[in-house]
Amino acid sequence: MVLEELHIDRAYLTSHWVKERSPNLTIICKAWRVRNGEKFDKTAFNLDWDERLIRCPNGITIPFIEGRTVRFPEKTCQVCPLRSKCTASPKGRSISIHPDESLLQELRERQTTSSGRQKLRERVSVEHSLATIGQWQGKQARYGGLRKNLFDLRRMAVVHNLHVLARIFTERQPISA
């Protein structure tokens, strides 16, 4: 059996499943939001992965390295006509390039399509189930030790599944008058 899709939470983006994935494996995960207030965010900058160059909205291009912060030249930013929309820093604009920026960019692009959003919605029922179990269990572990808490989590999962089954069977029962 070949794994074609991996539906994961953002916490697992650094796992070996993602890092050592085959080119045929599609990661389905909601990417972190990119924000910069009223200024241009990172998505307004074009990343050329082949040449390892980043181009600002005004067309200035400089090299980048994944995992590092790119700083556009101070003098170039000071005379830029888009400066007010880009940065308020007197030192010029800087952009942090995440070590897995190419994956994050792929995830952001996918979630802008209707098929990508539909794939993300498949996780909703799982997320709701986990949230319900989290509400029942609380924020702290009930017992001392991993083994007992794992048993407790599994017990709660069984109880949740029984609740789901009970709801399904009561919805299907014909109402007799």
Side-chain angles (χ1 to χ4, degrees), residues 129-138 142-143 148-164:
S129 296
L130 292 173
T132 301
I133 291 171
Q135 284 178 332
W136 289 345
Q137 281 202 297
R142 242 178 244 200
Y143 305 104
K148 288 180 183 176
N149 283 298
L150 181 59
F151 177 78
D152 187 48
L153 175 62
R154 289 177 177 161
R155 179 184 61 82
M156 290 302 254
V158 169
V159 170
H160 178 266
N161 289 339
L162 289 172
H163 278 260
V164 170

Side-chain angles (χ1 to χ4, degrees), residues 13-29:
L13 283 175
T14 57
S15 72
H16 75 279
W17 287 97
V18 175
K19 298 281 187 193
E20 300 163 12
R21 70 183 169 132
S22 72
N24 300 333
L25 179 64
T26 302
I27 304 295
I28 307 295
C29 177

Side-chain angles (χ1 to χ4, degrees), residues 4 7 10 18 21 33 37 44 71 110 158 161 170 173:
E4 294 177 0
H7 293 250
R10 288 186 280 215
V18 175
R21 70 183 169 132
R33 287 180 72 190
R71 298 190 190 288
R110 189 176 302 120
V158 169
N161 289 339
T170 56
Q173 295 291 329

